[in-house]
Amino acid sequence: MMRFRNVFIVILSFFSIILFGQKSQQKQYIIFLHNKFLEDHSFEEKHPKYGVAEYETILNKLRGQNTVVISEKRKAGTDPSVYAEKVKKQIDSLLKKGFQLEQ
């Protein structure tokens, strides 16, 4: 079980999750998760290998007329298991409202 949880956390750390409404007029939701570096550093700090994360720029590019972006900068020392459960609850809530995961 712990191994599965760790795999789930790693997957959440690297991918955004996109959910679509069943009707064309429903909004598209994107859950964007940043990397571990931003947990411990400011938006302006450069990663030694990859440079500035451009978090706000990415969020602005993802936002659209029919798109809602759910994202937050995690605090330093965030427990990955607790945070993964929070994201899971957000996804479950959207799925219960009729949204579907993009495949």
Side-chain angles (χ1 to χ4, degrees):
M1 181 65 171
M2 187 59 153
R3 183 179 176 100
F4 174 75
R5 179 178 281 175
N6 289 340
V7 170
F8 180 70
I9 292 167
V10 169
I11 290 170
L12 285 178
S13 298
F14 289 104
F15 298 102
S16 297
I17 299 158
I18 303 174
L19 296 106
F20 290 97
Q22 292 177 340
K23 301 174 188 169
S24 62
Q25 298 201 9
Q26 281 188 316
K27 295 195 178 287
Q28 167 183 310
Y29 284 78
I30 298 174
I31 299 174
F32 180 77
L33 306 169
H34 63 73
N35 60 20
K36 172 72 171 141
F37 181 80
L38 278 182
E39 244 180 60
D40 302 317
H41 300 87
S42 73
F43 292 132
E44 297 79 27
E45 289 183 67
K46 290 184 179 181
H47 184 279
K49 185 173 181 179
Y50 303 110
V52 176
E54 310 247 2
Y55 178 76
E56 291 294 333
T57 303
I58 292 168
L59 293 182
N60 288 332
K61 294 276 185 182
L62 292 173
R63 288 183 183 111
Q65 181 179 1
N66 220 23
T67 303
V68 176
V69 178
I70 299 172
S71 186
E72 66 179 320
K73 185 178 184 300
R74 294 185 305 273
K75 295 177 183 176
T78 296
D79 181 326
S81 297
V82 172
Y83 196 78
E85 187 62 34
K86 177 182 177 177
V87 173
K88 180 189 175 302
K89 286 178 183 177
Q90 289 173 320
I91 294 167
D92 289 345
S93 174
L94 289 168
L95 292 173
K96 284 180 184 176
K97 292 178 183 176
F99 288 85
Q100 298 176 344
L101 290 172
E102 179 185 63
Q103 296 186 10

